[in-house]
């Protein structure tokens, strides 16, 4: 790690907390430490702890990223004066430099979880340090939960230190209520922040916009390096300093790299990419001090956001974007989308420029947008694929993740999908108890899908005298777990040879050793048959068997649509098994990255167990009636169907629900009265939140059809009968009687005017209450009506005698004093028989003409 040798560890702010921290561990085994960027918590603190008598046993420190784990370990070892792998070591996926006598071991978060599963008492471990816990990675939350379980059950003496750059929005008190909290000041230099947003265009496509901000970023970097930017005015530091640029992913890094490489003198500047999939040597080059006299430009993802100090950085250029993976439980796949970072992340990034000297940060968004960013990043547990985590939970013995002391409870939908898939793969039984197969799968140390495939291949190979199928399964798993691949099309068979090389090759050999495969990789590759590849992938991805839809791509067994590039050799085959695909923002179909062709004959032979028979009821548009048939299916793909007898009421009910989910709530009687009820309840939930109003918006109604609509479908036999259902009353009855009365009181549908008229109040989906009334009936009103216990002012839509709109105002007093004068001038001549007084605020209202009003008074 490249910390300046000029600054001694004793000068770092965290040094003042060493004694208080020792005293804290003398009183309690849980400590929470808040230490901002530059405090020295990742380096000075564990280095000092090596000599503390209070800590008996090995110290484990968790880092969220491999590059940080390796760098921190090397730096502390150098400060300690020992070789890496002796007293100081590290362990990351695919690389370990540690031994039994190692006193401080830096590990990535997933390593800890496996250590706990293998040894629930963590024998020999005295302290676990969770560094950068604010990043809220899935493995961080799980590792902390399991460590707390151990501390509470087996190891009361185990010490836990949770460290964070910020505690804002971090609910550590909920799982560590008795922990002692300490706070350190940061050690960072001032950073000037400049905003320079890329100009927007409404007519620009997403691709053009994406290319434009990368080009904008490139030009900003060139200006900074030349001293032509506002951030560099009056500063000599920038003429010699290095630059760190934050981008969302590898693709953007390489595009910016190419842009800069063609415009910079590479004899003066060194361009260094930095991302997770980069080989270790290239990562080391990016974070090491430049020793060739060149100024360094580091193009990084958020791996450089925390725990790393890159020598010589005085400038940060921040794109403001990150690539977020969000799991879709309906399709069972993760969608990647470009998202704005949070304010906390922006602060971390800008702080990189002030770690060793005063610096400058250029943010490529507006200062106004900065205020609209989320305060902190969402925890991964809310939006990521929970399958590996649920597998961990099952191995630990829980039947729901809520049984663990988690900082944040997971998405219920995502967790439910994970348990269902584990049951399909025979990893857990119907009671969510881990099976022997599931335990063996966990010990293989790979994704549950791939572990299932490996074990099934081994089982099928037993007794055949050949390990070829098992070896092929190991190679396929190597392809799918590889952190980087070449581009050789979507056919997974093209990647077998490279899967046997480098880091992935080492992992393949470890699996082969565990599964006792006595063949060489070259023999396995030479004998690999496409039918075997497809069969093995179908074992791992039964929900991703795909049938061609002609020109529109393929349909997966889980119902998702996917596409392949037109020129790909697999783009015109009838059947595929898709091993890797992703959904992207703005695209209706996912893009396939890895697949294999499969012969449909396999569904009658070795894959016949995937075929199910079901009775289906649907709606025939052409004949206008429901029909029933027996289908043979793989998931949602229909292989064959035969007509059956008249559908049963229960089948029709299921078919109606399917139609509504497919075509929307428009099939129901969603009249204006019902829409008004939805808008009123939504507004009540906002203005009267303490009373717990239900969600009855369209999305919630679709998600809960069985609850509110299902009980009333028993006698429905046609879509016309469905349309006749009084859905307003059904929804109103979802509210208890006291809630109905409270809603009418808070947000009434009518307002009593002094004239006796009950003026209608309309609520729109933006939260506005609109009262329509003729202007003459509003005379004498000093202010607009106020609803919801004074929290909502009604907007008055004042109408002409012919009930045409004249004015719209939520401030009636101001209207009478100003705009009314112009309205009166225009309307008095058009409606001379009606009242247009000079003092409207003090005139009695009327529903009649002047003559009728006068006669009534007489």
């Amino acid at each position: 790690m490249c910390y300046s040798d000029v600054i001694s560890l004793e000068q770092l702010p965290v040094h003042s907390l060493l004694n208080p921290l020792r005293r804290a561990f003398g009183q309690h085994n849980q400590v929470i430490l808040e230490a901002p960027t530059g405090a020295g918590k990742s380096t000075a603190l564990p280095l000092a702890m090596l000599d503390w008598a209070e800590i008996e046993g090995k110290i484990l420190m968790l880092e969220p990223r491999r590059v940080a784990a390796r760098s921190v370990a090397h730096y502390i070892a150098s400060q300690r004066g020992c070789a890496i792998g002796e007293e100081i070591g590290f362990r990351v996926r695919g690389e370990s430099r540690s031994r039994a006598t190692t006193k401080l071991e830096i590990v990535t978060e997933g390593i800890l979880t496996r250590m706990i599963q293998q040894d629930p008492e963590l024998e020999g471990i005295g302290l676990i340090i969770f560094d950068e816990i604010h990043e809220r990675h899935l493995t961080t939350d799980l590792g902390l939960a399991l460590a707390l379980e151990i501390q509470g059950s087996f190891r009361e003496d185990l010490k836990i230190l949770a460290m964070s750059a910020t505690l804002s929005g971090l609910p550590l008190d909920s799982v560590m209520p008795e922990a002692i909290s300490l706070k350190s000041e940061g050690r960072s230099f001032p950073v000037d922040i400049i905003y320079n947003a890329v100009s927007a265009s409404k007519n620009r496509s997403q691709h053009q916009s994406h290319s434009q901000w990368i080009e904008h970023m490139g030009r900003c970097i060139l200006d900074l390096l030349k001293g032509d930017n506002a951030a560099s005015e009056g500063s000599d530091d920038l003429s010699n300093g290095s630059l760190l640029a934050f981008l969302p992913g590898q693709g953007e890094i390489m595009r910016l790299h190419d842009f800069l490489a063609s415009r910079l003198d590479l004899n003066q500047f060194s361009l260094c990419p930095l991302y997770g999939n980069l080989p270790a040597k290239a990562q080391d080059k990016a974070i090491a001090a430049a020793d060739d006299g060149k100024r360094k430009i580091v193009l990084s993802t958020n791996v450089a956001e925390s725990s790393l100090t890159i020598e010589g950085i005085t400038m940060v250029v921040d794109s403001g974007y990150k690539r977020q993976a969000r799991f879709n439980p309906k399709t069972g796949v993760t969608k990647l989308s470009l998202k704005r970072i949070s304010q906390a992340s922006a602060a971390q990034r800008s702080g990189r420029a002030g770690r060793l000297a005063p610096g400058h940060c250029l943010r490529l968004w507006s200062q106004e947008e900065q205020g609209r960013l989320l305060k902190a990043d969402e925890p991964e547990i809310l939006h990521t694929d929970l399958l590996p985590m649920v597998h961990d939970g099952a191995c630990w013995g829980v039947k729901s993740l809520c049984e663990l002391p988690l900082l944040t409870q997971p998405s219920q939908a995502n967790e439910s999908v994970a348990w269902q898939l584990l049951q399909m793969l025979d990893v857990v039984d119907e009671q969510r108890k881990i099976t022997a197969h599931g335990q063996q799968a966990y010990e293989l140390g790979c994704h549950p899908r791939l572990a299932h495939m490996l074990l099934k291949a081994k089982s099928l190979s037993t007794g055949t005298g050949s390990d070829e199928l098992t070896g092929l399964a190991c190679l396929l798993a190597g392809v799918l777990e590889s952190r980087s691949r070449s581009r050789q099309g979507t056919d997974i068979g093209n990647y077998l040879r490279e899967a046997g090389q480098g880091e992935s090759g080492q992992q393949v050999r470890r699996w082969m050793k565990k599964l006792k495969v006595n063949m060489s990789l070259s023999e396995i590759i030479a004998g690999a048959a496409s039918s075997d590849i497809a069969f093995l992938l179908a074992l791992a991805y039964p929900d991703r068997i795909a049938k061609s839809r002609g020109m529109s791509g393929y349909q997966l067994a889980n119902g998702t649509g996917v596409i392949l590039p037109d020129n790909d050799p697999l783009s015109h085959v009838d059947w595929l098994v898709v091993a890797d695909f992703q959904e992207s923002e703005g695209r209706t179909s996912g893009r396939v990255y890895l697949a294999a062709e499969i012969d449909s004959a396999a569904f009658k032979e070795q894959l016949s167990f995937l075929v199910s028979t079901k009775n289906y009821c649907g709606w025939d548009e052409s004949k206008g009636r429901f029909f029933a048939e027996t289908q043979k299916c793989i998931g949602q793909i229909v292989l064959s169907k035969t007509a059956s007898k008249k559908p049963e009421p229960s089948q029709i009910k299921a078919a109606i629900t399917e139609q509504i989910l497919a075509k929307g709530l428009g099939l129901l009687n969603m009249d204006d009265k019902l829409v008004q009820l939805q808008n009123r309840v939504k507004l009540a939930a906002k203005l009267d939140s303490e009373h717990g109003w239900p969600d009855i918006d369209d999305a919630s109604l679709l998600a809960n059809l069985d609850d509110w609509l299902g009980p009333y479908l028993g006698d429905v036999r046609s879509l016309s009968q469905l349309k006749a259902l009084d859905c307003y009353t059904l929804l109103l009855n979802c509210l208890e009687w006291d809630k109905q009365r409270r809603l009418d009181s808070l947000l009434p549908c009518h307002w009593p005017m002094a004239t006796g008229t009950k003026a209608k109040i309309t609520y729109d989906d933006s939260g506005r209450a609109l009262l329509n009334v003729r202007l003459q009936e509003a005379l004498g009103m000093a202010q607009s009506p106020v609803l919801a216990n004074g929290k909502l002012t009604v907007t008055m839509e004042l109408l002409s005698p012919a009930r045409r709109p004249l004015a719209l105002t939520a401030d009636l007093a101001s209207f009478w004093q100003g705009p009314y004068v112009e309205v009166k001038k225009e309307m008095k001549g058009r409606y001379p028989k009606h009242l247009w007084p000079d003092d409207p605020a003090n005139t009695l209202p009327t529903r009649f003409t002047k003559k009728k009003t006068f006669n009534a008074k007489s």
Side-chain angles (χ1 to χ4, degrees):
M1 199 166 201
C2 303
Y3 289 91
S4 174
D5 292 331
V6 176
I7 302 170
S8 67
L9 296 182
E10 288 75 13
Q11 292 177 285
L12 294 171
V14 79
H15 193 267
S16 64
L17 283 183
L18 295 183
N19 287 330
L21 186 57
R22 294 184 74 168
R23 289 194 296 270
F25 274 130
Q27 303 168 29
H28 202 275
N29 285 334
Q30 295 179 359
V31 177
I32 299 171
L33 173 63
E34 184 175 12
T37 296
K41 65 181 182 298
S42 303
T43 52
L45 191 56
L47 181 60
M49 286 178 166
L50 286 168
D51 299 318
W52 288 6
E54 291 84 354
I55 300 174
E56 298 179 4
K58 180 186 289 189
I59 300 172
L60 281 182
M61 185 163 79
L62 277 69
E63 289 292 339
R65 299 180 181 90
R66 296 196 305 173
V67 59
R70 293 173 57 255
S71 298
V72 168
H74 277 282
Y75 175 72
I76 296 177
S78 69
Q79 293 295 307
R80 192 71 171 176
C82 64
I84 193 71
E86 295 178 354
E87 188 181 29
I88 316 296
F90 70 88
R91 239 191 301 177
V92 300
R93 184 177 176 85
E95 186 179 5
S96 176
R97 301 285 295 278
S98 185
R99 60 177 64 171
T101 56
T102 297
K103 292 184 65 177
L104 170 63
E105 190 172 15
I106 320 295
V107 301
T108 44
E109 296 151 330
I111 300 291
L112 172 66
T113 303
R114 292 204 163 264
M115 290 176 67
I116 291 174
Q117 295 279 17
Q118 292 165 6
D119 177 14
E121 295 189 17
L122 284 182
E123 185 178 355
I125 305 297
L127 168 67
I128 304 176
I129 302 174
F130 291 85
D131 193 15
E132 309 296 357
I133 198 169
H134 67 278
E135 294 194 13
R136 299 303 308 278
H137 293 184
L138 192 66
T139 45
T140 311
D141 285 11
L142 179 60
L144 178 62
L146 295 183
L148 291 172
E149 287 258 296
I150 288 175
Q151 192 182 57
S153 303
F154 312 116
R155 290 281 313 279
E156 291 183 1
D157 63 313
L158 180 66
K159 292 176 169 55
I160 295 176
L161 173 60
M163 303 196 304
S164 172
T166 173
L167 294 179
S168 176
L170 191 62
L172 281 170
D173 289 345
S174 65
V175 295
M176 302 169 68
E178 298 179 6
I180 296 174
S181 295
L182 299 173
K183 186 172 183 177
S184 167
E185 297 300 322
R187 188 206 62 79
S188 59
F189 294 89
V191 176
D192 293 330
I193 296 177
I194 302 294
Y195 293 89
N196 187 357
V198 61
S199 59
S201 170
K202 294 181 179 179
N203 298 321
R204 189 178 296 115
S205 71
Q206 185 179 9
H207 175 73
Q208 289 173 324
S209 177
H210 192 250
S211 300
Q212 191 197 31
W213 73 253
I214 292 178
E215 183 176 332
H216 174 70
M217 188 173 190
R219 297 198 181 283
C220 286
I221 290 173
L222 293 175
D223 289 342
L224 270 175
L225 296 173
K226 294 175 184 176
D228 296 336
N229 192 284
S232 61
E233 291 180 4
S235 175
D236 296 329
D237 298 336
L238 301 187
S239 60
N240 298 313
S242 293
L243 183 145
L244 172 61
F246 283 100
L247 294 105
Q250 180 181 344
E252 290 84 3
I253 285 175
M254 298 319 297
R255 281 194 285 275
L256 183 59
H257 179 282
D258 293 344
F259 178 92
L260 295 173
S262 63
R263 292 165 174 81
L264 286 174
D265 182 356
L266 298 184
N267 291 317
Q268 298 182 41
F269 298 95
S270 177
L271 291 172
C272 301
L274 180 59
Y275 48 87
N277 292 347
L278 204 64
K281 287 185 178 180
Q283 289 180 347
D284 291 343
K285 177 185 176 184
I287 64 177
D291 57 2
D292 52 7
K294 296 180 181 180
R295 294 174 66 188
K296 187 192 297 184
I297 302 170
V298 180
L299 309 178
S300 178
T301 61
N302 56 5
V303 299
E305 197 169 292
S306 55
S307 293
L308 286 175
T309 297
I310 303 174
E311 185 79 15
I313 296 296
T314 58
M315 294 172 282
V316 166
V317 179
D318 189 356
S319 69
Y321 287 113
K322 65 178 179 179
R323 183 150 280 111
Q324 186 178 71
R326 188 173 290 273
F327 181 74
N328 183 348
K330 292 183 179 180
T331 61
V333 74
T334 297
K335 175 185 287 187
L336 288 177
S337 56
L338 209 60
K339 298 289 184 184
R340 278 297 188 192
I341 59 174
S342 66
Q343 292 183 24
S345 184
Q348 285 283 331
R349 291 181 177 191
S350 63
R352 299 297 98 187
R355 290 295 290 267
L356 301 174
H360 302 265
C361 175
L362 180 61
R363 291 174 173 170
L364 302 184
W365 61 94
S366 67
Q367 191 163 4
E368 183 270 335
E369 187 176 2
Q370 168 70 14
R372 291 188 278 112
L373 298 179
L374 292 175
K375 297 293 184 183
D377 291 324
E378 283 186 329
E380 283 187 353
I381 199 169
L382 293 177
H383 55 71
T384 196
D385 181 6
L386 296 177
L387 187 64
M389 185 179 192
V390 167
H391 194 187
D392 265 300
C395 286
W396 191 245
V398 302
K399 294 178 172 58
S400 172
L401 294 180
C402 69
E403 297 175 32
L404 297 171
L406 293 165
L407 286 168
T408 302
Q409 290 304 311
S411 158
Q412 291 185 1
N414 292 6
E415 183 179 353
S416 177
V417 167
W419 284 110
Q420 289 170 17
L421 184 55
L422 287 183
Q423 189 175 334
M424 182 192 302
L425 299 176
D426 194 30
V427 172
V428 298
D429 61 20
E430 293 181 357
Q431 286 72 45
R432 296 185 173 180
K433 183 180 179 181
I434 194 78
T435 62
H437 177 74
Q439 191 64 53
Q440 288 178 316
Y442 187 81
E443 291 167 2
L444 287 174
C446 56
H447 193 280
R449 287 182 183 268
L450 302 181
H452 172 72
M453 174 186 71
L454 290 169
L455 292 175
K456 286 295 183 182
K458 179 62 179 177
S459 175
L460 291 168
S461 296
T462 302
T464 65
S466 172
D467 294 328
E468 194 168 344
L469 193 67
T470 310
L472 180 57
C474 292
L475 274 171
L476 291 173
V479 174
L480 292 163
E481 292 247 309
S482 175
R483 295 175 64 88
S484 62
R485 287 191 295 266
S486 60
R487 296 183 179 181
Q488 300 183 54
T490 60
D491 191 339
I492 196 170
N494 297 337
Y495 300 89
L496 296 180
R497 192 167 299 280
E498 70 179 52
Q501 301 169 357
E503 184 179 320
S504 63
Q506 294 174 13
Q507 180 61 65
V508 168
R509 290 179 178 86
R510 282 194 286 270
W511 286 323
M512 290 173 65
K513 184 177 180 180
K514 283 185 178 181
L515 296 171
K516 299 178 181 179
V517 176
N518 295 313
M519 292 181 68
S520 68
L521 286 175
S522 57
E523 290 177 305
I524 296 168
I525 294 170
S530 58
S531 58
D532 288 338
I533 291 174
F535 168 68
L536 289 169
L537 291 183
L539 294 176
Y541 302 98
D543 53 330
R544 296 187 190 175
I545 290 171
K547 183 181 181 181
S548 173
R549 297 190 301 196
M551 298 298 291
S552 58
Y554 291 79
Q555 179 195 348
L556 300 185
N558 64 18
T560 308
V562 296
I563 57 173
L564 284 75
D566 291 337
N567 59 351
D568 192 276
L570 292 181
S571 62
H572 302 295
V573 304
D574 294 329
W575 291 87
L576 291 172
V577 184
V578 176
D580 184 19
F581 82 101
Q582 286 180 344
E583 294 181 319
S584 299
E585 202 167 25
R587 293 183 178 178
T588 56
S589 297
R591 180 181 174 183
V592 176
Y593 291 98
L594 287 175
E597 181 180 4
I598 189 168
D599 189 338
S600 60
F603 305 139
K604 298 179 182 179
E605 300 166 358
Q606 57 193 147
L607 292 175
S608 60
F609 65 92
L610 295 178
V611 179
S612 61
T613 301
K614 67 178 181 180
N615 295 319
Y616 175 76
C617 180
W619 174 257
D620 190 324
E621 293 281 3
S622 60
K623 296 180 180 179
R625 63 178 176 82
F626 289 102
F627 67 91
E629 61 187 21
T630 301
Q631 298 178 344
K632 288 191 178 298
C633 307
I634 295 180
Q636 296 185 37
I637 298 175
V638 178
L639 297 174
S640 65
K641 52 190 176 183
T642 55
S644 57
K645 60 183 181 180
K646 184 178 179 180
E648 298 291 331
S650 60
Q651 291 179 306
I652 293 177
K653 181 179 176 180
I656 289 173
T657 301
E658 181 183 61
Q659 285 292 303
I660 296 172
L661 291 174
K663 297 181 179 179
L665 295 171
L667 291 178
L668 303 173
N669 180 19
M670 300 288 287
D671 57 16
D672 183 64
K673 192 177 179 182
L674 186 148
V675 173
Q676 284 299 298
L677 178 62
Q678 288 179 301
N679 291 341
R680 290 167 69 208
V681 172
K682 177 183 176 183
L683 195 53
K686 178 181 178 182
L687 303 178
D688 190 48
S689 58
E690 63 272 17
H691 283 82
W693 296 89
D695 290 328
I696 59 169
D697 57 13
D698 286 0
S700 299
L701 294 183
L702 284 171
N704 300 288
L705 278 176
D706 287 342
D707 296 332
W708 71 274
L709 184 64
Y712 305 96
L713 295 178
D715 296 327
V716 175
R717 296 291 180 272
S718 66
L719 295 185
S720 59
Q721 287 180 313
L722 178 67
K723 195 77 172 180
L725 287 176
D726 182 4
C727 290
Y728 167 77
T729 301
L730 300 186
L731 272 189
L732 185 63
N733 290 338
C734 291
L735 299 176
E736 300 91 343
W737 174 243
D738 62 326
K739 280 266 177 46
Q740 295 182 30
R741 295 181 62 187
R742 185 169 183 82
L743 184 65
D744 289 338
S745 173
L746 291 172
L747 302 167
C749 296
H750 295 86
W751 185 263
M753 305 298 293
T755 59
T757 297
K758 289 186 176 180
K760 183 179 180 181
I761 301 177
T762 303
Y763 298 86
D764 61 26
D765 58 6
S766 69
R768 183 177 64 170
L770 191 67
L771 188 151
N772 305 85
V773 68
R774 285 180 293 184
L775 183 145
Q776 281 73 20
E777 295 193 62
L779 295 173
M781 292 180 68
Q783 295 291 346
S784 301
V786 178
L787 308 177
N789 295 326
K791 295 179 181 179
L792 178 66
T793 300
V794 172
T795 299
M796 304 279 289
E797 185 175 37
L798 300 174
L799 309 175
S800 72
R803 304 197 67 83
R804 292 188 177 90
L806 292 179
L808 201 66
T809 180
D811 187 351
L812 201 55
S814 296
F815 172 75
W816 293 138
Q817 295 173 9
Y820 168 73
V821 177
E822 295 301 320
V823 171
K824 181 183 70 171
K825 285 181 183 179
E826 183 179 347
M827 293 292 108
K828 199 170 184 179
R830 185 176 301 179
Y831 300 101
K833 295 181 180 181
H834 290 79
L835 201 60
W836 302 98
D838 294 333
D839 186 9
N842 294 300
T843 302
L844 290 175
T846 180
R847 290 186 294 169
F848 308 115
T849 62
K850 287 188 290 185
K851 182 177 180 180
K852 285 186 177 181
T853 301
F854 177 77
N855 290 337
K857 288 179 180 178
S858 298

